Each structure stands twice: as structure tokens, then as C-alpha cells.
Amino acid sequence: MKELNSYIWCTFVFVFLMLFGSCKGVTKLPENMTIPAVYAFGDSIVDQGNNNLLKTLIYCNFLPYGRDFPGGFPSGRFTNGKTPPDLIAEELGIKELIPAYNDKNLTVIDLPTGVSFASGGCGYDPQTSKIVSVTPLSDQLEHFKEYIGKLKGAVGEEGGNKILKEGLFLLVAGSDDLANTYFTVGIRRLQYDISSYADLLVASASDFIQGIYELGARRIAVFSLPPIGCLPFQRTLAGGSRRDCADNYNKAAQLVNSKLSLQLLNLNNRTLPQSRVVYIDVYNPLLDLILHPLNYGFEVSDKGCCGSGNIEVTTLCNKYIGTCGNVSNYIFWDSYHPTERAYKFLVDHIIQKYIESFQ
């Protein structure tokens, strides 16, 4: 009886959301287009708290992380407030917050509007996840399979397939592969030059995209790598005494991006019928934001708000070291992750430029 009541309630909520939306959306979708759910895979940019229960140093469910999140709650999101999955879902009128799949408070009612499977520290390269003991993409795919069973148990086979077909899937990875595995730790430089390593990353991304496609995903947004050489952490490590942007890091990111965008064209044209696999360029808008912060109402672009802003990230960004006075002036929250305000700028740009590509 309890299971039946949950099914009836979840079905009611699903139908209500399909008809009326869960909140007032800001963006008007093209005619005859609906996006009922947002899903996220990849790394810390879209990790909504999945790392909280892992035995890893890559976690952040403690203050000052989350200080500007609703209720001032450190949920495990790697920023001061909301992340791209939250902001995208909110902008599309789906819901305010996208939960982590591993959230112990996740309920059947949360399933139809999407979840995040992402794990901070993950990369396209399987070695990247192993180095820091986080959830690799292969396991995220298994969690997605498990989720599909729960979703269809809640809303039925037809309803579940419709949500997967019309939902928006975000894939964000690659930064940790280059910044950590290749450049900082350096284990892959013994095996690959940068071009062949880029090929490895793109091949892994392609395999993963085909994996979620086979499970029902059709609208897949694949985010480019950012200008990793301009992240405060990388400036400190590789930018010299002036902490300039590390040009070789940025060129490596551009190489991966060029190969990735070409591969996505191939997937759309030949391999994945009836899909919309869209390359989302975050490299250029974020670089312009970093190089010209005053043009966008920001002041500080070379360090994060947390601590000195030069090196603090995850456990080094903690309640004992302090934060900046006005976070809205900062592009970066810690030495690696943008602030909610910077994310909002990027999300607004992404939705305005790309949303019609998913028709």
C-alpha cells in the first residue's frame, strides 16, 4: 500500500509538472518544446553532493562552502551557492535545486525532474578518478541505469522513456584530467604527448555519450574545457611570480576542445540518430569574463574569495581561514571553482545561445 501511494503521488506530481511547471520559468522555450528534467554527469562543477559519503579529500560539505546556498547549508556543492544544474533547472522553470543521486534525503518525488550523478575530481581519463578516489564516469553510468529502474517504477515505462527523451543531460569533465592528471601529477606525460592524451579524453567522452544515448538520453549538452591556465590554482602553480595565466595549459584545453567538437559533429551526423548532442563552448565566455571582469560587473578574476584565493580548494578552504567581504565582486569562489554569480553569467549565456539547438 505504501508503494502504491508513492506511485500515485509521484504520478500526480509528474503530470502537474508537465502541465504547469514546478516554478515560474524565466526562459520561454521554443513552441512545442518541453524539458522536464535536468541530469548531470562529470566533475565538481556539477557535483551536487555525491562526494559527501566518499572516502576522499575531494569534498566540501562544510562551511564556508554553501554560505550563500538556501539556508546557508553546505550541501557538498563546490561553490558558495548554486551550481549550473540548479541554475539551468531554475531558468527553465523545472525546479529550484537539482539533487545529488546519492543524497540520503532523495525521494521518489525528486526522480522525474532529474538528478546529478557527478563526482568532484572525476575526469574522462579513468586514472583521474583513481588518483583521488572518487566516482568514475563508468560508475556514474551504472548509477544512471539504477536510477532509470527507479524512475520507471515511479512513473511507468512510457512516462520514464518520455522524461529521458525530453530531459537535458549535462556532461562536464576534462578539467581535472589536464590540470591534475596530466600537468600537476604528471603520470600521463610519461605515456602521452598532449595531442594523443587529448585523443584519449575525446574517445572516452564519445564512449560515455553513446552509453547514455543507449539508455534513452537524446538531448546531451557537452561542455568544453574552460581556460584551465587562468584558474587561480593553476596561476599559482604554473603562472610564474606574477601568477599570469598558464598559456600552455590553455592551449592544451583548446586542443581538447577542438577535437571534442569535431567528434560531437560525427556522433550527431553518423552514430546517434534522433539525438541532439551539442558542444557548449564555455572556454571563450569564461576567458573573456576573466580577462575583462569590469565589463561584467566583477572586480577580482585572478584569485578566489576563500582564504588567500591563490591555492585554497576543498579542505584547504575551511571556516578557519576566512572569506572575502563581497563575494559578488569575485569570479572565483575558491582557487578552482566559480562563484554562483559567475555561474549565473555563464548559464544565461548558454541558455540564450544553445537552447534552440535541442529542438
Side-chain angles (χ1 to χ4, degrees):
M1 180 61 68
K2 183 178 179 180
E3 289 78 6
L4 179 60
N5 288 338
S6 294
Y7 172 80
I8 293 172
W9 174 241
C10 188
T11 302
F12 168 76
V13 172
F14 170 61
V15 172
F16 181 85
L17 292 178
M18 293 302 99
L19 292 176
F20 303 106
S22 62
C23 58
K24 185 178 179 181
V26 177
T27 297
K28 181 177 175 59
L29 293 175
E31 189 175 354
N32 299 321
M33 181 182 183
T34 59
I35 298 179
V38 171
Y39 300 93
F41 300 89
D43 61 25
S44 57
I45 301 300
V46 290
D47 182 351
Q48 308 294 83
N50 285 307
N51 276 17
N52 291 351
L53 301 179
L54 298 182
K55 293 181 178 180
T56 176
L57 293 176
I58 312 300
Y59 69 100
C60 60
N61 58 337
F62 48 83
L63 292 172
Y65 287 97
R67 77 170 201 188
D68 302 304
F69 191 71
F73 174 63
S75 63
R77 289 164 171 82
F78 290 77
T79 186
N80 62 305
K82 297 177 182 178
T83 58
D86 301 318
L87 297 170
I88 290 172
E90 190 172 26
E91 184 70 20
L92 295 178
I94 298 171
K95 64 192 305 183
E96 182 183 11
L97 301 171
I98 293 296
Y101 180 65
N102 291 335
D103 188 339
K104 62 182 180 181
N105 296 316
L106 188 75
T107 69
V108 69
I109 297 173
D110 294 311
L111 300 179
T113 47
V115 297
S116 170
F117 304 92
S119 178
C122 170
Y124 290 125
D125 181 353
Q127 284 295 327
T128 300
S129 300
K130 288 182 180 179
I131 291 171
V132 289
S133 301
V134 298
T135 308
L137 284 175
S138 57
D139 286 358
Q140 292 181 34
L141 189 64
E142 291 303 312
H143 293 167
F144 181 44
K145 292 178 184 177
E146 181 182 78
Y147 160 85
I148 291 173
K150 294 178 181 179
L151 174 68
K152 292 183 177 179
V155 302
E157 182 80 17
E158 184 177 348
N161 287 335
K162 178 178 174 63
I163 292 171
L164 296 175
K165 179 182 178 181
E166 297 182 351
L168 181 61
F169 290 76
L170 314 178
L171 177 56
V172 183
S175 296
D176 291 304
D177 296 315
L178 285 185
N180 299 330
T181 307
Y182 194 80
F183 284 114
T184 302
V185 179
I187 59 173
R188 286 303 202 185
R189 277 186 289 173
L190 300 175
Q191 302 167 281
Y192 301 93
D193 61 21
I194 191 59
S195 181
S196 57
Y197 190 61
D199 291 337
L200 181 151
L201 300 184
V202 170
S204 176
S206 180
D207 288 344
F208 183 81
I209 291 165
Q210 292 180 73
I212 60 174
Y213 172 87
E214 290 169 2
L215 293 172
R218 291 297 179 269
R219 292 170 171 166
I220 305 171
V222 184
F223 284 51
S224 75
L225 274 65
I228 60 171
C230 293
L231 305 184
F233 189 85
Q234 304 307 324
R235 285 177 181 259
T236 301
L237 293 183
S241 60
R242 295 174 52 187
R243 297 186 64 254
D244 294 324
C245 291
D247 188 53
N248 58 327
Y249 286 31
N250 283 349
K251 287 181 178 178
Q254 289 176 305
L255 179 62
V256 174
N257 288 341
S258 65
K259 290 174 179 273
L260 179 62
S261 62
L262 288 174
Q263 178 62 13
L264 298 188
L265 285 175
N266 183 58
L267 289 177
N268 273 319
N269 294 334
R270 300 182 182 182
T271 311
L272 308 180
Q274 298 181 327
S275 69
R276 295 291 185 272
V277 183
V278 179
Y279 173 80
I280 307 295
D281 173 26
V282 296
Y283 183 99
N284 288 297
L286 181 55
L287 181 63
D288 195 57
L289 183 64
I290 292 170
L291 296 180
H292 308 102
L294 297 180
N295 292 349
Y296 302 96
F298 293 89
E299 295 181 9
V300 184
S301 64
D302 64 343
K303 63 181 181 178
C305 173
C306 190
S308 70
N310 294 337
I311 202 73
E312 293 86 355
V313 64
T314 62
T315 54
L316 294 179
C317 173
N318 55 65
K319 64 181 181 181
Y320 301 107
I321 64 171
T323 55
C324 62
N326 188 354
V327 68
S328 65
N329 290 334
Y330 283 70
I331 292 172
F332 291 97
W333 165 245
D334 57 21
S335 66
Y336 204 89
H337 305 95
T339 59
E340 178 184 318
R341 184 171 178 236
Y343 279 141
K344 184 68 166 59
F345 163 79
L346 292 172
V347 164
D348 288 348
H349 169 82
I350 288 166
I351 289 179
Q352 180 180 1
K353 183 174 181 178
Y354 295 104
I355 196 63
E356 293 187 2
S357 301
F358 294 100
Q359 281 183 289

